[in-house]
Amino acid sequence: MSSNFSRRRLLATGAGVALGSAATVAAQSPAGAAPATTSSRVREETRSLDELYQAALAEGGKFVLYQGGDVDSQAAAVRAAFSSRFPDIDLTVVVDYSKYHDVRVDNQLATGTLVPDVVQLQTLQDFTRWKREGRLLPYKPAGFSRVHKGFKDPDGAWTAMAVIAFSFMYDVQAAGAAAPTTPLELIDPRWKDAIASSYPHDDDAVLYLFSLYQRTYGWDWVAKFAAQQPRFARGSHTPGLAVNSKQKTIGVGTSGSAVSASTSVKWVAPVGHPFMAWGQRAAILKQAAHPTAGKLYLNWVLSEERQKASFNGWSVRTDVVPNPSLKPVWENPDAHVDGFPRFMEDRAAIERWKQTFALYFGEVKGDPSPGWPGLHPGR
């Protein structure tokens, strides 16, 4: 009997084990994993950042954040800004794909080896599940009442910290006057061999973006996009790398700013055509070793100062407008802000989308861009 099992079979087997384990965990809630506190019993934080800072130091002065992302350098700005504001906190930020961080946390909880204090991830469905399982510490940071209602749990189990949006971008000079203004134009024959894309079946946000393209333009569009011979890679940062380095003219399935000051690369938020945006959720784990440091972090990120520094011109707060030229993202129907959380909850449908796109684009290839952090990074 051959020992060369296919990767597809191994992944399918692993998924079955993971789903079975998750079901067991849900059915056997651990001691202390009670349902989240109701909204009326959790008050919004009134302490200042400096007061929380002193409390976090008294707690031990350590803080571990698991942040969803593509490469470790994406945490550089957070590390620098947080350490500058709170220099005596021993900060550890671990960047990995959210789909690995979430099961990593599940495994750590199951084995009594939890590392992070706060998780900040793209896998929105995990936060609703962890709330049901009693895994999250109900907490409302200062400014919680100003957060858009779709970007927070009413009981304070989780709060979105930032708006992230995915669409396509292009090299202004290389594209010239024929630059694409809508996703429909990406299948123009002139762009054959000129497109870089992240795999939609490797990243659920990119998957949702491509599902919007399919629903809007049909499977014929998907087939014609595949015929463009786009260069696929793991990591939603890779299309931007390809465009900025002049390797490709167009990048698809990547984040960007609708008000970027760059004159060389344009990220497109098309009018009347789909792109997607969501609120990146964060929560303090109930069993966190440093919950006060976690509270400090949530208050800092949600502060007006940090929200005004948004890289893409949007804030999760209704009273903060980083760029007056942009209306709030939740008022833009093209961004499909409400659709992504619903999409993420239907895991069976997501698997069907992934496997179907694999038929059009081929299976995902390559090592994960963050590397292999292992079971307990940051410990």
Side-chain angles (χ1 to χ4, degrees):
M1 180 176 181
S2 173
S3 62
N4 294 323
F5 293 94
S6 71
R7 184 163 64 92
R8 187 188 295 271
R9 286 184 62 192
L10 288 172
L11 287 173
T13 302
V17 171
L19 288 171
S21 300
T24 301
V25 170
Q28 301 176 350
S29 297
T37 309
T38 59
S39 177
S40 61
R41 293 168 58 188
V42 179
R43 303 299 182 185
E44 189 169 315
E45 181 63 76
T46 58
R47 287 173 291 180
S48 69
L49 286 177
D50 288 334
E51 289 172 326
L52 286 166
Y53 180 27
Q54 293 305 313
L57 290 175
E59 180 186 63
K62 296 182 180 295
F63 174 54
V64 180
L65 168 68
Y66 276 9
Q67 175 181 312
D70 301 299
V71 287
D72 182 72
S73 60
Q74 291 174 339
V78 171
R79 290 190 184 102
F82 187 87
S83 297
S84 175
R85 180 66 176 81
F86 311 109
D88 294 325
I89 297 291
D90 181 5
L91 169 67
T92 300
V93 183
V94 181
V95 176
D96 198 2
Y97 296 156
S98 294
K99 65 180 181 180
Y100 295 149
H101 265 331
D102 62 351
V103 293
R104 178 177 288 121
V105 168
D106 284 335
N107 184 262
Q108 291 176 4
L109 289 169
T111 57
T113 57
L114 184 66
V115 176
D117 303 300
V118 170
V119 285
Q120 184 170 310
L121 307 175
Q122 174 183 292
T123 49
L124 307 186
Q125 79 283 357
D126 287 310
F127 293 85
T128 55
R129 173 175 62 86
W130 283 329
K131 179 188 177 182
R132 290 193 303 269
E133 295 173 0
R135 298 296 192 179
L136 305 180
L137 179 69
Y139 180 67
K140 296 180 179 180
F144 182 88
S145 58
R146 300 290 188 175
V147 174
H148 173 60
K149 63 181 181 180
F151 288 164
K152 61 186 176 184
D153 174 70
D155 298 319
W158 54 265
T159 310
M161 295 287 108
V163 174
I164 302 177
F166 278 7
S167 184
F168 68 92
M169 60 170 54
Y170 61 84
D171 181 318
V172 173
Q173 182 178 10
T181 59
T182 73
L184 186 59
E185 297 170 48
L186 298 177
I187 61 174
D188 189 306
R190 76 183 72 185
W191 306 126
K192 187 172 183 178
D193 298 320
I195 299 174
S197 178
S198 46
Y199 283 109
H201 37 315
D202 191 42
D203 182 298
D204 285 354
V206 183
L207 183 71
Y208 182 56
L209 179 69
F210 272 76
S211 78
L212 292 174
Y213 292 164
Q214 188 282 322
R215 289 165 178 165
T216 304
Y217 309 122
W219 286 112
D220 188 53
W221 181 94
V222 178
K224 290 180 178 179
F225 184 81
Q228 298 287 64
Q229 297 183 354
R231 187 180 73 187
F232 287 101
R234 300 191 71 180
S236 61
H237 68 301
T238 56
L241 291 178
V243 173
N244 281 287
S245 64
K246 304 290 185 178
Q247 297 178 43
K248 297 292 181 180
T249 302
I250 298 171
V252 183
T254 188
S255 63
S257 172
V259 291
S260 174
S262 173
T263 58
S264 60
V265 174
K266 180 175 177 57
W267 183 88
V268 181
V271 177
H273 292 262
F275 70 104
M276 62 85 66
W278 75 98
Q280 188 85 329
R281 297 176 181 178
I284 303 170
L285 292 160
K286 184 173 288 187
Q287 296 181 35
H290 314 101
T292 306
K295 293 176 181 180
L296 172 64
Y297 174 77
L298 296 189
N299 280 270
W300 174 70
V301 177
L302 204 58
S303 68
E304 289 189 49
E305 177 184 358
R306 292 298 299 171
Q307 290 294 306
K308 288 178 180 177
S310 166
F311 82 97
N312 61 15
W314 287 300
S315 171
V316 299
R317 293 180 55 146
T318 60
D319 61 338
V320 175
V321 182
N323 192 291
S325 68
L326 288 179
K327 62 183 177 181
V329 70
W330 51 83
E331 293 181 5
N332 187 340
D334 299 322
H336 297 272
V337 169
D338 295 331
F340 187 51
R342 293 193 298 267
F343 179 82
M344 293 294 280
E345 293 287 346
D346 192 344
R347 305 313 297 174
I350 281 178
E351 287 305 309
R352 290 191 293 272
W353 279 109
K354 286 181 178 180
Q355 302 308 332
T356 305
F357 281 125
L359 296 177
Y360 281 86
F361 303 141
E363 295 227 27
V364 174
K365 298 178 182 178
D367 291 338
S369 54
W372 303 91
L375 283 172
H376 300 95
R379 184 164 64 177

